[in-house]
Amino acid sequence: MSAKSAINKEIFAPHDERMLGAVQVKRRTKKKIPFLATGGQGEYLTYICLSVTNKKPAQASITKVKQFEGSTSFVRRTQWMLEQLRQVNGIDPNRDSPEFDLLFENSFDQWVASTASEKCTFFQVLHHTCQRYLTDKKPEFINCQSKIMGGNSILHSAADSVTSAVQKASQALNERGERLGRAEEKTEELKNSAQQFAETAHKLAMKHKC
C-alpha cells in the first residue's frame, strides 16, 4: 500500500472523509520548534493533504500529516478548513518548480514538494476543489503555470473553438450572400431580356399587321 493510500485509510476514512490529493513536502525555511512540540520523536515525513467529508453538505479541508522515523503509522497535525486558504503561490509561472507557498487566515508556510510534478498534480486538484466547494472567498492562485490552472486552458480552447465556428459560419453566410446576389443579378438580366424580346416581338407583329 502506498503512503497516500495508507494516509487516507488511517487518517480520513475513520472520520467519514476521503482524501482527494496529497503532496510530500519539506519546509523551505526551518522553523524553530521546541523539542517537546514534536514529542521528541526525531525526523519525520510531512504530507499536505486535501480531503472532503462524505456527509452533505461536503466540507473540504487541508491537513498536515506526519510520519515519524521508525513508525509505520501517520499522525494528524494542523488542519485548516478550505475557506481559510487565502493564497496559493506557485513561485515561478515560467518553469517546473517544486516550491510553493500556502497562506491561510492565521498562518503562512513555505514548502518544497518532493517533485515538481507532484506539486503540479496537487495544485490541479486543489484548484478544482476550490472551484467546486467554495462559493465565495476563493483563494488567489498566483505565479502558477497555465497547465496547473487546467480550467483556464480548457476555457481558452473552448473560446478558440467558438471563435473558429463563428468565423466559418460568417464566411459561409457571406459566400451564400454572394451567390444569392449573383442569382438576383442573373434573374434581373433574364427579366430584362424577356421584356426586350416581348417588345421586339410586339413591334414585329404590329409591322406585319400593317
Side-chain angles (χ1 to χ4, degrees), residues 31 46 71 98 102 110 186 188-189:
K31 280 188 175 182
T46 302
S71 174
L102 295 179
Q110 297 176 311
K186 190 67 176 177
E188 189 66 25
E189 291 175 2

Side-chain angles (χ1 to χ4, degrees), residues 185-197:
E185 291 176 0
K186 190 67 176 177
T187 300
E188 189 66 25
E189 291 175 2
L190 292 173
K191 180 180 178 182
N192 292 336
S193 297
Q195 186 175 356
Q196 290 174 3
F197 178 79

Side-chain angles (χ1 to χ4, degrees), residues 20-90:
L20 302 177
V23 57
Q24 185 180 335
V25 297
K26 289 184 178 180
R27 290 189 185 278
R28 291 210 312 277
T29 55
K30 291 287 186 180
K31 280 188 175 182
K32 292 183 178 179
I33 303 177
F35 180 75
L36 291 178
T38 64
Q41 299 181 52
E43 296 295 323
Y44 53 83
L45 298 177
T46 302
Y47 297 85
I48 301 298
C49 306
L50 179 63
S51 64
V52 64
T53 59
N54 292 318
K55 186 178 179 180
K56 305 297 181 182
Q59 296 290 323
S61 60
I62 295 176
T63 307
K64 183 163 56 178
V65 174
K66 293 185 177 182
Q67 181 183 35
F68 289 93
E69 185 178 24
S71 174
T72 58
S73 61
F74 297 88
V75 180
R76 183 193 297 255
R77 289 300 190 181
T78 313
Q79 184 174 49
W80 304 268
M81 298 305 297
L82 193 59
E83 294 84 13
Q84 294 178 285
L85 182 61
R86 291 289 172 261
Q87 187 184 85
V88 179
N89 189 342

Side-chain angles (χ1 to χ4, degrees), residues 4 18-23 48-52 60-62 82 85 88 117-134 139 141 147-151:
K4 293 176 183 178
R18 67 182 186 277
M19 191 174 73
L20 302 177
V23 57
I48 301 298
C49 306
L50 179 63
S51 64
V52 64
S61 60
I62 295 176
L82 193 59
L85 182 61
V88 179
S117 62
E118 189 177 6
K119 165 199 163 182
C120 179
T121 300
F122 180 75
F123 269 35
Q124 288 173 337
V125 176
L126 179 58
H127 182 262
H128 175 75
T129 303
C130 290
Q131 298 303 311
R132 180 176 180 181
Y133 293 102
L134 298 180
F141 281 74
K147 65 180 179 181
I148 288 176
M149 310 294 285

